[in-house]
Every structure is written in structure tokens, then in C-alpha cells.
Amino acid sequence: MSIQKPKGTQDLLPGEVEKWQYVEAKARELCERFNYREIRTPMFEHTELFQRGVGETTDIVEKEMYTFMDKGDRSISLRPEGTAGVVRAYVENKLYGEPDVSKLYYTGPMFRYEQPQAGRYRQFHQFGIEAFGSVDPSIDAEVIALGYTFYKELGLKEVTVELNSVGNPAVRAAYREHIQKFFAPVKDKLCKDCQSRYDRNPMRILDCKIDQKYCEGAPTIVEHLDEECSTHFQAVQDYLTAMDIPFRLNPRLVRGLDYYTHTAFEYKAGGIGAIDTIGGGGRYNGLVGQIAGGGNDQPGVGFGLGMERILLVLQAQGVDIPGVKPLDVYLVGLGEAAERETVKLLQGLRLAGLRAERDYLGRKIKAKMKSADRYNAAYVAILGDDELASGEITVKAMATGEQETVRLDAFTESMQSRIRHV
Ligand code: HAM
């Protein structure tokens, strides 16, 4: 039996991959406009980084990591998300204050051992940004705005920003008690996961799909914010409003990672069913210090957007994005000497910046013309042995069927000027 791809992974084939390139190019271009610079970190890290960073009691670290011992007996994990690695690189390379606030972005594969379904994979891709060094709520708003603008410029419809504050550690510690008190009477009825969350991470119960019926009337963290937290939260909302970024407050929004403080947000989209969270993020003051092992703490805020989900939404909503680009020129040689000459002409066209192709299968003219059609070529250039002898080539515009004879020594230039005018 032939070998198949592992469960939860995808082959991105030509035809589909152009859409990915388009979405990735949009991410890069937008990051340039917002003054974020690219960072590339390893796809695997020491397991401890994610235990410390993402949190020991999160589903991601408890159940979903691809962890293995390498040949040097080190515990290694494939990255389940981007933030922990970027924070590690920020600390290790002392990027503090470069040039003032460090604004970084990344795109690439992440790995989580989850039950695959539409929009959920074991290898998936994120576009993420992280901004370090500022506690100013305007940067929380900037991060949210960048993600929102990204979706909008790609043409996604019905994108909603859900916003919450998860407070600071002191607020959360107090809130933890309220929430434990609330769930105490139904503790035994909660699902197995939530029974263990009750002691270790009770806020996560609010996020459980199974136990929603017990969450009705649960106290929200927003009701328990202290002054510092509510001032920050209000300022983020004011900045979003000033920037015309629509948002909806969701006091139940709890993110699946432990590092958040203050701002937490998610982007939701219509048209893809139950798994409708296309991105999420928030502020994480304290994480840098935690990963640095004390010492230089720096505040941070960022997001991670799921690329597969963006492509699913674009498809579900029928948004057209540019696919394969058509060829500029398809070269057809008729006769041995002419065929050989097309190799040289093809190289000339490509060096001149044109998208050009020829036949490599020694096929008849009809089959070659069919290929030109399949590649959507704007022009077909036909060279016969006779024409070669007289130093000419026939150029046919595929849209109009018009034909013209061009001097071989002026061929590349002539094609260049035609393409420029298409
Ligand atoms: P996250 O919410 O775990 O956050 O993931 C962000 C996004 O990645 C999700 O909203 C979803 O679109 C996508 N995603 C997650 N898991 C899968 C999966 N199994 N298959 C397909 N897509 C998936 C983070 O990862 C944080 N690092 C975000 C962040 C950056 N917060 C601050 N900075």
C-alpha cells in the first residue's frame, strides 16, 4: 500500500498554493505598513519553554503537544503556537527596545495533536504579530486593528471582534475564588476535564463546550476588575472606536492559553460553521519575565490568526482571490532546428521578466496549442524551420486571434512591449 500523509495534515497543491501566497503576501505588506518586522524562530523548542510559557494546565500543553526525546536525551516539542518562541528569541537576542517598541511578525506551521475536523488540523499555519515594550492601550488597539484590517483587505465578510479583559494576576486570583464558589454546587456534574480545571484553572470552565449549561449566571471577570484594569480596558475600547474598528464585548471570553493579562480578543467569521474563531490574541504582561527566568520583564501584546480558517472563510463566502497567473508567452517550435532555437528564445524571454514556457514532450502543434490554452497564455509564438532560416517568428495574440510576423532579433523586446500593454 502506498504511504499517505499523517492524519490532520494537508498537501497544499499548485492551484491552492497561489491563494496561500496571496494571503501571505498581504500579511507581509500590511506588516510593513504598520511597521512590524519579520522574525523566524525554530519549529521546535525545549519542551520546558511551552510548559512555562503557554501554561502547564492548558489543553495545549497537557494533551496536544508533539513531544519527543531527541538523540541527546533532551525533551523537545514541535511548537504548538508562536508566542512562546518569539518571546524566547526576544529575550535570548536582547531585542529590548529595538529601536524602541519591538514590533515583530511571523508566519509558519504550528503543531497540535487535536481531533482533526473542518478547520482543525494537526499541522496548521498562523500569521502572528507580537509587540513588546509598551503598556500603552493604544498598542492593544493597534494589534486588534491590524488583524481586522488584514481580514477586511482580503475581502472577508462578517468579521467580528470579541473583546474582554482578563485582568491582572491579583484580579484573577480574587476572581478565581468567586468562580470556584459559583461552580462548587455543580462541581460533581461537570465534565471530567472541568472537574480537574476546577482546582487548577477554574476560569477555563467558562470556555468548555460541554458544560455551558452550568455557566449560566456565572460571575464575569469584568465585574471584578480593579481600577488599573478597567482604565486600561476602557482606553482600548475608546481607541478602537476612534479607529472605526467595530467590536463586541464578550465577558465570557477566556483564551486557551495562560499568559494573558488585561486585553483578550478573538476574531469570529460567518459561513464556516462551529469552528468560527479565525484568530485570537491579547496582552501578556509578565510572560517575558517568566521566560527570562526573572529579570528584565517587558510587557507584550499580539495575535495569532489561523491561515487555514481564513482560506475556508474566503471559499465559503465566495470571495475571489487571485489564483494562478496566466503565462505571457507559450513558444511553439516546428521542426528540429526551430525546437532547439526555442530553448534559447525561452531563456531570453525569462531573463526579460516574462512568464514563458515551451513544450518538452516533442508533441505535435495541436497538442502544443492546447497546452498554451491550458496555461492561459496571452501570446503564442510559433517558429518553423523556414521562419528560422529567414530570421522571423509568428506571434499570435490568443484573445483576438491576430497574427503578426516579428524579426527574431527583436522578438524579446517586441514581446516585452506587448505584455506591458496587456
Ligand atoms: P490560539 O487562539 O491558540 O492563540 O490560536 C490562534 C488561531 O490559530 C486560532 O484562532 C485559530 O484560527 C488557529 N488555530 C488554532 N488551532 C488550530 C488548529 N488545530 N487547526 C487550525 N487552526 C488552528 C495562539 O496561538 C496565540 N499564540 C495567539 C497570540 C499571539 N496571543 C498573543 N500573541
Side-chain angles (χ1 to χ4, degrees):
M1 209 171 66
S2 65
I3 299 172
Q4 302 195 329
K5 61 183 181 298
K7 196 172 163 185
T9 64
Q10 277 185 300
D11 296 317
L12 299 174
L13 306 178
E16 179 69 10
V17 94
E18 288 78 8
K19 296 179 185 162
W20 281 74
Q21 290 170 345
Y22 176 78
V23 172
E24 285 161 2
K26 171 58 76 182
R28 283 177 209 293
E29 186 259 323
L30 203 60
C31 283
E32 274 174 27
R33 274 192 267 155
F34 280 70
N35 196 29
Y36 284 72
R37 296 177 60 194
E38 185 172 3
I39 183 163
R40 300 188 189 194
T41 65
M43 268 177 243
F44 59 86
E45 298 270 1
H46 292 291
T47 302
E48 197 196 340
L49 174 71
F50 303 115
Q51 289 168 335
R52 249 205 255 176
V54 177
E56 301 250 32
T57 63
T58 58
D59 283 356
I60 294 178
V61 169
E62 272 188 345
K63 304 183 205 159
E64 296 170 3
M65 277 209 301
Y66 280 90
T67 299
F68 57 94
M69 298 304 283
D70 74 3
K71 291 193 199 306
D73 245 3
R74 301 171 199 95
S75 179
I76 295 290
S77 294
L78 300 185
R79 61 181 186 195
E81 58 101 52
T83 311
V86 172
V87 170
R88 192 228 6 96
Y90 172 80
V91 172
E92 191 169 336
N93 297 288
K94 301 189 178 58
L95 299 182
Y96 311 109
E98 276 199 10
D100 39 34
V101 176
S102 281
K103 306 209 299 184
L104 304 167
Y105 79 90
Y106 51 92
T107 58
M110 310 289 161
F111 307 87
R112 295 184 194 175
Y113 192 82
E114 292 197 86
Q115 214 35 56
Q117 47 184 298
R120 182 168 290 149
Y121 303 92
R122 291 184 173 171
Q123 174 174 322
F124 62 98
H125 299 76
Q126 280 185 353
F127 157 40
I129 67 170
E130 315 290 349
F132 298 99
S134 170
V135 291
D136 191 322
S138 70
I139 200 146
D140 306 43
E142 174 184 286
V143 166
I144 296 172
L146 199 163
Y148 186 78
T149 309
F150 176 63
Y151 293 130
K152 281 285 142 189
E153 291 194 2
L154 284 174
L156 270 77
K157 297 164 219 152
E158 300 170 52
V159 177
T160 331
V161 179
E162 295 201 348
L163 185 68
N164 195 16
S165 169
V166 293
N168 57 27
V171 164
R172 257 208 313 283
Y175 175 64
R176 197 187 146 94
E177 286 179 21
H178 290 288
I179 202 113
Q180 277 179 327
K181 211 186 268 169
F182 176 82
F183 284 114
V186 292
K187 187 183 167 195
D188 297 340
K189 295 191 187 133
L190 298 175
C191 74
K192 238 175 88 206
D193 280 344
C194 284
Q195 292 192 11
S196 95
R197 283 178 187 138
Y198 181 86
D199 291 313
R200 296 187 303 155
N201 200 349
M203 265 174 79
R204 297 274 297 134
I205 301 174
L206 295 176
D207 200 30
C208 175
K209 299 266 177 316
I210 306 165
D211 289 328
Q212 276 309 306
K213 52 183 177 293
Y214 300 115
C215 297
E216 203 62 40
T220 66
I221 194 159
V222 180
E223 299 159 350
H224 295 91
L225 293 182
D226 63 14
E227 204 187 322
E228 180 221 342
C229 294
S230 25
T231 307
H232 186 92
F233 192 32
Q234 189 55 53
V236 173
Q237 295 174 49
D238 293 345
Y239 282 126
L240 287 174
T241 306
M243 285 192 281
D244 264 341
I245 309 292
F247 61 90
R248 191 166 71 204
L249 294 180
N250 176 0
R252 289 284 180 80
L253 179 75
V254 186
R255 305 264 305 126
L257 305 95
D258 273 356
Y259 44 63
Y260 294 109
T261 56
H262 298 282
T263 314
F265 61 91
E266 282 183 351
Y267 301 98
K268 307 264 181 182
I272 54 166
I275 303 184
D276 60 351
T277 306
I278 50 175
R283 178 167 277 286
Y284 46 84
N285 300 345
L287 179 64
V288 173
Q290 210 171 313
I291 284 177
N296 199 349
D297 190 26
Q298 290 285 335
V301 53
F303 67 52
L305 315 183
M307 301 284 274
E308 283 77 5
R309 293 192 191 171
I310 293 171
L311 285 142
L312 277 175
V313 178
L314 288 169
Q315 198 188 359
Q317 295 184 345
V319 181
D320 237 3
I321 53 174
V324 192
K325 289 184 184 150
L327 275 187
D328 296 324
V329 190
Y330 190 88
L331 271 170
V332 172
L334 303 173
E336 251 175 62
E339 276 282 30
R340 268 199 305 278
E341 185 67 14
T342 59
V343 174
K344 184 179 123 193
L345 294 176
L346 184 66
Q347 175 71 356
L349 290 172
R350 289 170 172 172
L351 288 181
L354 301 184
R355 288 191 290 274
E357 186 55 298
R358 64 183 279 277
D359 170 70
Y360 307 95
L361 299 172
R363 293 176 307 173
K364 302 240 157 52
I365 180 154
K366 214 169 141 195
K368 288 177 175 168
M369 293 306 280
K370 232 187 212 160
S371 282
D373 258 346
R374 251 207 339 265
Y375 289 126
N376 233 334
Y379 293 91
V380 174
I382 305 161
L383 183 70
D385 280 349
D386 292 349
E387 285 170 301
L388 176 60
S390 60
E392 287 176 334
I393 185 165
T394 305
V395 174
K396 180 174 175 185
M398 297 302 272
T400 58
E402 267 170 50
Q403 274 185 214
E404 208 184 314
T405 306
V406 174
R407 298 266 339 142
L408 263 182
D409 51 17
F411 173 59
T412 305
E413 223 170 275
S414 153
M415 292 319 296
Q416 257 183 319
S417 71
R418 276 165 220 262
I419 291 301
R420 250 182 263 127
H421 293 113
V422 169

